[in-house]
Amino acid sequence: MLTVLNEQIKCLQMILSADMIDTSEGKKQLHMLKEKAVKNVHHYAFNQRADGRFVTKMANGSQMTGGTYKNLIDKLYEFYFGSQNASLASLYPEWIEYRLNESPAKEKTIKEDQYVWNSLLKGKEITLLPLRSLEAPNYIVFFRSITKNRTLTRKRFNNMKSIMNGIIYYAIEKGIIIHNPLSEIDYRKFTYKPENNSIMPYTEEERLMILDHLKDEEDLYSLAIRLQFHLTLRIGELKGLRFDDVYGNYIHICRLMNYKNEIEEDIKGHASEGIRWLPLPDEALRIIQKIKDRNPNSPYMFIKDSVTLTTGTYNDHLKKCCTELNIPYRSSHKVRFSTASILYHEGVTLPELQNMLGHTTLAMTTHYIKKISTNDSVLQKVNSVFSKNCMHL
């Protein structure tokens, strides 16, 4: 909305300068547009002094005055939207539009960023001050204020910081500033809310129970669940598989189906590491053949008669299976965690898993490695180790 308003203002200013419309009516319209734009970002009251001047409070505690209400609106508009006084808040709408039209960012990612902006940054003083006036200490004070009570996880904090970085680099590209102060900050000094890691992936025992429970099922959803438990795939990558992606004992991962159930010849994150070859165990090859028998007329494994496999229904099938087996349900994303963890504990190395998962960093892969053994199975292993030691005493 703000981007549209500012474009209208620019166009009207050009028209007025060219004497193409009635000047008095044009200036009136220009004032109305500026007033609307200012009130979208300025949330303080306007007051008139005894001397007739108009005044309003600013986010940094100072005041701005104008001889007339119109003059004050002009000054506020220049403060918030003038290129020399651009702020995170004033550039945010432009940055969103830039990402929608000129960047490879996905619509879903942009919507998630908008949610983070609205919940953590919108209206905050740091976002209203001119970028030229902000240095690393200003951001440190803000970051410390929102993390001191451990109300943000590190992940959510990083999502917020990513948005701020994006806008600042957009400002650098526009020539408004020349340096990003966020690059000077040591983020280890802040405190974060502990991540909730209580939801663990499926254990190896649970995985085997699910595979056995579904072994005689021939519907595409059951076959999809079985196949994912043999591969390190994201659900979108699984849904985007084609039969001609299979080459011998390997399958090429090179596309996905997005949250709108549209095929994209791309991989999450757009990184080259996401395009990869995965080994196909014999059971996975048998499952793919069953999928082919069930869906012989489609080039895609999980699109039949123009109907796509949906993530929600997939998870419903998985939940029903878990309920019947009386084991805790975890979504499709935890299947990927489970497969990676089982492979790691069976001897597949972290660099090998990094390639199989399509991660850009080893740290990201390490995050996927979770405990997959039950407490009873750990107890059995401990007893076995110490029993052997006792035999040598």
Side-chain angles (χ1 to χ4, degrees), residues 65-117:
T65 61
T68 64
Y69 177 71
K70 177 183 176 301
N71 177 239
L72 181 55
I73 290 294
D74 287 339
K75 291 172 72 173
L76 286 169
Y77 184 83
E78 179 59 28
F79 175 82
Y80 286 115
F81 303 107
S83 61
Q84 298 303 306
N85 298 299
S87 64
L88 290 169
S90 66
L91 290 177
Y92 168 72
E94 291 183 33
W95 177 68
I96 289 293
E97 188 167 331
Y98 162 80
R99 295 182 75 208
L100 283 169
N101 299 327
E102 301 182 43
S103 80
K106 302 295 183 184
E107 184 179 344
K108 181 181 179 182
T109 303
I110 294 173
K111 286 184 177 179
E112 290 170 351
D113 288 345
Q114 289 173 316
Y115 173 78
V116 173
W117 171 271

Side-chain angles (χ1 to χ4, degrees), residues 230-233 237 247 249-253 276-281 355-358:
H230 286 86
L231 301 173
T232 52
L233 291 175
E237 294 169 346
Y247 295 84
N249 292 97
Y250 292 86
I251 188 165
H252 194 211
I253 311 304
R276 61 202 190 277
W277 291 89
L278 294 182
L280 287 171
N355 292 332
M356 293 176 69
L357 289 162

